[in-house]
Amino acid sequence: MKISIYGDSFVKSEIFKSKIINQIGENYDYILKDVNWPDTPFHNDYGEGNFSKIKEYLGNEDEVIDHIGRSEILITDLAPISDSILNKVPNLKFIGVSRGGPVNIDIEACKKKSITVVNAPGRNASAVAEFTVAKILAETRLITLGHSTLMKGEWRGDLYRLDRTGKELSELTIGLIGYSHIGKLVKNLLIAFGCKIIFSDPYVDLTDQDIKDGVEKVSFENLLKNSDVISIHARVTKETINLIGEKEIRKMKKGSYLINTARGPLLDYEALHKALSDGHLRGAALDTFYQEPLPENHIFKNLNNVTITPHIAGASVKTAYYAAEVIAKDLKNYLDGKELINKIC
């Protein structure tokens, strides 16, 4: 049996292979390929023509077809899989995609062709949760501002002034928009700092542990008005695009902070820039943007009250190895005829 592995410079094909061998052994024909992501940006938005139903992929139709060839199994992170590609790889029966949201795969086309697809939900949840807390600290305690000005040769002793320094986390109410896997991990980390945690999520209820921790579920409006720091952890759907816009930002506390380590389309960045510029918000920390890579002359690059990073919250060594292992376990289940843990279709 042929197993095609389409890796990259994060989840390398050799990592996939080693995890798969641990599960099913070496007696398979492993065909390896690594594309040059993240050094080369992937196609962020929906593609055109045959790729109009997929996004966040790297590769073209011919090279993907050539790599899969007559393989029955494809293991990948970023390979674009469209209906047109599936039509030219008739032996393919199983796709393992090591992502929480397999947006690079045309799931409906796979269903029509009875191709099994599994993914790795929550693969980077702990990495994103840690990064979120780091972002909150970097902005509220003036770490970013202190670093950037000192690197320019300016000693900002004034940042020790009472009217300029930041509050400790134990003084803050943190509002979490979205309270699934990542949101709950953020809560667990912040509880240790003594934060007051509130969340808004129509699909999640308080647990007994939440009640013990003093966590409160509140309305979206209540969260906007009462949070010192708001951190976004929602998924992108038709309902959540521009979830935080001009109206919502103006309802936030004056002098509060906004954190986005989720996805760019959840936030109106022009409205955020205005609120940061006029002082309504004291700061923001952003890892994702509506347009990636960020343009060279992007408006946020002229602000001194924002911490920006190039969509790396989910990047950790653990994430890569864990994602590969999750896919390898489900591949073994598939070959053994057992129930799949993370089956999409």
Side-chain angles (χ1 to χ4, degrees), residues 3 6 13-14 23 30 34 54 107 113 122 207 228 234 271:
I3 300 177
Y6 190 102
S13 58
E14 286 289 352
Q23 294 291 328
Y30 292 97
D34 286 318
I54 59 175
I107 299 300
K113 292 178 171 57
T207 65
D228 298 301

Side-chain angles (χ1 to χ4, degrees), residues 107-126:
I107 299 300
E108 291 304 314
C110 290
K111 288 179 181 178
K112 291 176 182 178
K113 292 178 171 57
S114 299
I115 296 172
T116 299
V117 180
V118 300
N119 70 325
R123 74 170 191 172
N124 59 11
S126 62

